Amino acid sequence: MEWEHAAGGFAAMGSEARLAVLRCLVRAGEGGLMVQDIQARTDIAPSTLAHHLTLLASAGLILQRKEGRSTYNTADYAQLKQMAEFILSECCADDVSVREVANDG
């Protein structure tokens, strides 16, 4: 994952409301949720929710699919996993105590 792409994804999560929406969708699983369901679970006003969903979709954090007249929103688990791996990829790389243990072995 490129730094710019990761920064965009983390920036999109930088709002309490968007983070709440994303967590709601993660909990919902692969089936996703319609906007009304997300609104009922998060208590975010419909017009504001539409804005947050657009930002999350633009950042690649959620997927939106149409089924007839309904739009389902789903967390993009592959993208979220890549972001977690990006942020943890250098975990403890500069931790002196970890290097000392590795060198003693």
Side-chain angles (χ1 to χ4, degrees), residues 12-13 15-27 33 38 41-44 49 52 56:
M13 286 189 273
S15 148
E16 285 183 35
R18 285 191 294 278
L19 196 53
V21 169
L22 187 58
R23 287 182 57 128
C24 178
L25 291 173
V26 167
R27 289 178 57 98
L33 295 171
I38 299 168
R41 293 178 188 199
T42 61
D43 203 30
I44 298 172
L49 180 57
H52 291 310
L56 291 168

Side-chain angles (χ1 to χ4, degrees), residues 34-95:
M34 290 188 294
V35 174
Q36 312 85 288
D37 299 323
I38 299 168
Q39 197 276 325
R41 293 178 188 199
T42 61
D43 203 30
I44 298 172
S47 60
T48 305
L49 180 57
H51 170 73
H52 291 310
L53 289 169
T54 298
L55 287 171
L56 291 168
S58 295
L61 299 174
I62 67 169
L63 303 170
Q64 296 180 309
R65 72 179 188 284
K66 287 243 185 226
E67 289 184 15
R69 300 172 95 189
S70 301
T71 300
Y72 287 86
N73 298 274
T74 308
D76 187 338
Y77 296 100
Q79 181 68 16
L80 292 170
K81 183 177 179 186
Q82 284 182 7
M83 291 184 69
E85 289 170 352
F86 174 85
I87 201 71
L88 295 172
S89 67
E90 296 187 33
C91 178
C92 307
D94 293 334
D95 188 340

